[in-house]
Amino acid sequence: MSAAPIRVWAPSARAVEVVVSEVGRHGDGATRHPMVSESGGWWSWTPSESPVDYLFSLDGGDPRPDPRSAWQPEGVHGVSRTFEASTFEWSDAGWRGPRSGAGVLGGVVYELHIGTFTSEGTFDAAALHLDHLVSLGVDVVEVMPVSAFGGTHGWGYDGVAPYAVQDVYGGPAAFQRFVDACHVRGLGVCLDAVYNHLGPTGNYLGEFGPYFTERHSTPWGAAVNLDADGSAEVRRWIVDNALRWFADFHVDALRLDAVHELRDDSERHVVAQLSDEVNELGARLRRPLDLIAESDLNDPVMVTPTAQGGRGMDAQWDDDLHHALHVVLTGETQGYYSDFAGDNDSWPTGGPLSVLAKAMSDGFLHDGRWSSFREKEWGAPVDKSVTSGHRFLAYLQTHDQVGNRATGDRIGDSITPGQQAVGAALYLLSPYTAMVFMGEEWRASTPFQFFTSFEEEELAEAVRSGRRGEFASHGWDESQVPDPQSPSTREASVLRWGEVSGDGHRQMLEFYRTLIGLRRTEPDIASGDLTAVDVRADDDARWFVLRRGSIVVVANLAEQAQVVPFDGAGAEVVASWGDDPGVEPEGLRLDGHDVAVLRVLRS
């Protein structure tokens, strides 16, 4: 078939050659072809056929992969391979977007990692379990980063080829098949995209142009260049990448990693530019395209439309709500959890349940108040009269909040099933968009540990010693911290699908299904109206009541049974974790670590 031109931006190069080898021959018999200089620092060459394996040589230097490579079949240091996305035969012509065209907001998202979702660690293997997600009630599958990274196993946040799909997962064609399989089943797809940094091996971008700048620093070093000389093309490299996932791979949403580390002093922030261009593409494609930010700023400006001076994200992760739930359920108060234990001079003045009540009703705890771990006042309040709760994602677990623990242990390892049921009921029936982390719904026994597979021994040792040193400073014995480089660390993190129907797992799965079913069928729960949220809590007695219209979640977090004060005139129990909660004149009798959901007469 005829081939599209191969192009590269290399503004400082005097000459650029494309080094071409026969597909699959690993560079044998490679031929060099001069590329034609174009305006703006671009170079081009058109092959006679496709696909083709190729590299670029700048001014006679060592051949390097394409900064916009669609496929790295031999790893991040090897050849780039052309990929014709338009040849895939999609079966989703009638697809209107998640939730019949309503989009992601207000639905149920399911975060998964392709490499550990199944033992095979591929898109095709993951697709075999999509019916499980449908029966759970999931609306959108959020896939952790798939961009090419060093080695064969890793989380994906060390990617260095953002346009390429990791070959060990199946490559770009397999990703198209996976998205198509999701759409056939009514599932949307959200892809986790990382634009704030690149990984430590295979990053050759700086040789091509000013992709990075010392004007700003990030936890990973020099920042991606968004506002210095040459930044216009770097911004296009980011925005074009995002648009490509929507247009060529039919994804429905992007989750943008740590957008607060996209350092940009331009008049128009790159996140706002991205938002506007994605909205324009959505209008042309006639389906909703959503952008979900991970942001540490706790500022509703992130989800404020660009026309009103905001960054234009459709939603953002809400770590404050997670932290509040985690402290209530586990009692952990170290590090950044300390503020969520309450009992300080700032409002709310109560303990962790009072903090949870604020986060549940206001979106953030840190909304202009003092943050002890940041050592400054942080955040801004959410105007509940204009901002829907659907613009914030609520969750009990995420890859971060599990995998960044010393041993990757899940919350289920430190709390009872009843406590997890309480946490699930509160966030799944909250006014926020809900997100489930893979395996959480059946109380999976497997951890989700931090793992890498870097081939460079020096880098591997740096990661290994850094990980162990980090947790040694918190009192962990080094032998207790899994070796990120050991294949067994990844293997231990693979879900065990045989557990799903097992005793102790099946019950939790059915409870999650029931809760998600209520989100779909109860209008008061489907609403994102934050002004209609009513919460009551007692830190001493350890009970919590969340009321949303006619639906009330009553939770007993104490170890012993008790009657939770509750005006339940005409109440009907529609879901419960424990056995037969008793509606009494003074309230609802619940066992220790128990929760029930009731439908009541509107007052």
Side-chain angles (χ1 to χ4, degrees):
M1 62 177 295
S2 60
I6 294 174
R7 304 179 71 239
V8 65
W9 181 61
S12 299
R14 297 182 299 276
V16 182
E17 293 178 304
V18 59
V19 183
V20 180
S21 58
E22 186 177 339
V23 170
R25 291 292 298 273
H26 307 286
D28 292 346
T31 59
R32 289 176 174 257
H33 306 270
M35 301 187 75
V36 176
S37 177
E38 300 178 343
S39 62
W42 283 87
W43 302 76
S44 71
W45 176 78
T46 303
S48 59
E49 59 183 8
S50 182
V52 63
D53 285 354
Y54 66 101
L55 295 161
F56 295 125
S57 173
L58 309 180
D59 296 323
D62 292 337
R64 302 301 192 198
D66 186 351
R68 293 189 178 216
S69 170
W71 193 357
Q72 291 295 122
E74 299 171 14
V76 296
H77 303 289
V79 297
S80 300
R81 180 171 294 171
T82 56
F83 174 71
E84 298 294 339
S86 61
T87 62
F88 184 75
E89 296 184 5
W90 293 91
S91 58
D92 66 352
W95 178 249
R96 297 168 52 204
R99 304 171 63 238
S100 300
V104 175
L105 306 194
V108 176
V109 179
Y110 189 94
E111 187 189 23
L112 64 82
H113 177 262
I114 291 295
T116 55
F117 192 59
T118 66
S119 58
E120 297 89 344
T122 65
F123 289 112
D124 290 338
L128 298 177
H129 294 284
L130 292 178
D131 290 340
H132 166 84
L133 303 186
V134 173
S135 68
L136 177 61
V138 168
D139 298 299
V140 178
V141 181
E142 179 178 316
V143 180
M144 286 174 62
V146 301
S147 297
F149 55 83
T152 56
H153 299 299
W155 282 15
Y157 296 96
D158 283 326
V160 292
Y163 282 72
V165 177
Q166 182 75 354
D167 189 62
V168 74
Y169 294 162
F175 187 35
Q176 288 181 316
R177 290 195 298 272
F178 178 80
V179 175
D180 196 51
C182 286
H183 287 175
V184 166
R185 292 165 174 81
L187 296 169
V189 177
C190 174
L191 176 63
D192 198 335
V194 183
Y195 298 128
N196 50 50
H197 76 288
L198 271 76
T201 181
N203 176 9
Y204 300 108
L205 284 186
E207 298 181 23
F208 286 89
Y211 280 88
F212 301 93
T213 175
E214 297 290 344
R215 287 182 57 178
H216 306 288
S217 62
T218 73
W220 309 281
V224 175
N225 177 20
L226 302 172
D227 55 12
D229 291 344
S231 61
E233 287 295 348
V234 179
R235 294 166 73 101
R236 281 256 56 94
W237 176 74
I238 291 175
V239 175
D240 288 350
N241 176 270
L243 298 178
R244 174 176 174 270
W245 296 122
F246 289 120
D248 292 347
F249 291 83
H250 292 202
V251 304
D252 303 285
L254 293 179
R255 181 263 190 187
L256 307 180
D257 183 68
V259 295
H260 50 277
E261 297 296 351
L262 290 170
R263 307 291 186 173
D264 185 5
D265 291 336
S266 304
E267 182 176 349
R268 185 189 189 199
H269 197 283
V270 69
V271 170
Q273 176 185 347
L274 177 58
S275 172
D276 288 340
E277 294 201 32
V278 168
N279 285 334
E280 292 169 2
L281 178 62
R284 293 197 298 273
L285 297 178
R286 298 183 178 181
R287 60 186 177 91
L289 306 177
D290 291 314
L291 294 173
I292 302 170
E294 179 196 24
S295 172
D296 182 53
L297 302 180
N298 277 33
D299 193 329
V301 70
M302 191 61 63
V303 295
T304 299
T306 58
Q308 299 173 24
R311 299 285 170 83
M313 296 292 95
D314 296 286
Q316 74 160 77
W317 280 24
D318 190 341
D319 273 355
D320 275 23
L321 185 55
H322 166 272
H323 297 347
L325 274 170
H326 189 88
V327 171
V328 163
L329 296 174
T330 69
E332 294 180 10
T333 59
Q334 72 277 16
Y336 52 68
Y337 288 135
S338 60
D339 284 357
F340 297 85
D343 294 323
N344 52 43
D345 294 332
S346 300
W347 186 85
T349 55
L353 283 169
S354 297
V355 171
L356 176 59
K358 174 173 171 51
M360 185 66 71
S361 57
D362 293 350
F364 300 134
L365 171 66
H366 296 119
D367 55 5
R369 59 170 279 164
W370 180 260
S371 170
S372 64
F373 57 93
R374 298 182 180 101
E375 297 185 335
K376 62 177 68 175
E377 291 183 351
W378 199 258
V382 175
D383 185 342
K384 297 189 288 186
S385 66
V386 299
T387 303
S388 170
H390 291 167
R391 292 195 177 274
F392 304 94
L393 266 65
Y395 35 83
L396 189 60
Q397 300 179 96
T398 70
H399 75 271
D400 269 332
Q401 302 302 337
V402 177
N404 283 329
R405 296 172 69 83
T407 61
D409 55 308
R410 294 172 178 265
I411 195 171
D413 293 332
S414 55
I415 63 175
T416 67
Q419 287 172 303
Q420 179 175 338
V422 169
L426 290 175
Y427 90 84
L428 286 171
L429 301 183
S430 74
Y432 306 106
T433 297
M435 186 173 75
V436 180
F437 182 59
M438 64 176 194
E440 172 193 327
E441 72 276 18
W442 77 74
R443 197 170 164 84
S445 67
T446 48
F448 184 71
Q449 298 173 339
F450 178 73
F451 53 88
T452 56
S453 58
F454 295 123
E455 297 169 349
E456 300 86 350
E457 184 53 39
E458 182 177 352
L459 178 57
E461 182 54 35
V463 172
R464 184 183 294 118
S465 59
R467 179 79 174 175
R468 289 175 172 172
E470 174 188 355
F471 289 104
S473 65
H474 295 289
W476 286 85
D477 186 286
E478 286 192 5
S479 63
Q480 296 176 294
V481 181
D483 177 2
Q485 283 286 125
S486 173
S488 64
T489 303
R490 177 262 170 183
E491 291 164 6
S493 303
V494 174
L495 291 179
R496 298 171 184 163
W497 284 92
E499 293 181 339
V500 174
S501 59
D503 190 47
H505 301 286
R506 182 183 65 258
Q507 294 89 336
M508 188 65 71
L509 175 59
E510 288 305 318
F511 190 60
Y512 269 70
R513 282 175 175 158
T514 299
L515 295 174
I516 293 172
L518 289 173
R519 285 186 68 96
R520 290 174 173 265
T521 58
E522 294 290 342
D524 289 329
I525 298 300
S527 168
D529 184 0
L530 291 171
T531 66
V533 177
D534 177 41
V535 291
R536 294 186 300 113
D538 188 316
D539 283 294
D540 294 326
R542 291 192 56 75
W543 54 256
F544 192 95
V545 177
L546 165 67
R547 180 163 184 169
R548 304 191 58 215
S550 62
I551 301 298
V552 184
V553 182
V554 183
N556 177 21
L557 290 128
E559 294 184 6
Q560 69 281 357
Q562 66 173 320
V563 175
V564 178
F566 161 66
D567 181 10
E572 170 194 10
V573 176
V574 294
S576 65
W577 174 252
D579 296 328
D580 299 324
V583 180
E584 301 182 2
E586 63 272 24
L588 185 70
R589 176 168 291 280
L590 291 171
D591 293 334
H593 297 169
D594 198 3
V595 61
V597 184
L598 302 94
R599 184 184 294 108
V600 300
L601 298 175
R602 291 181 180 272
S603 57

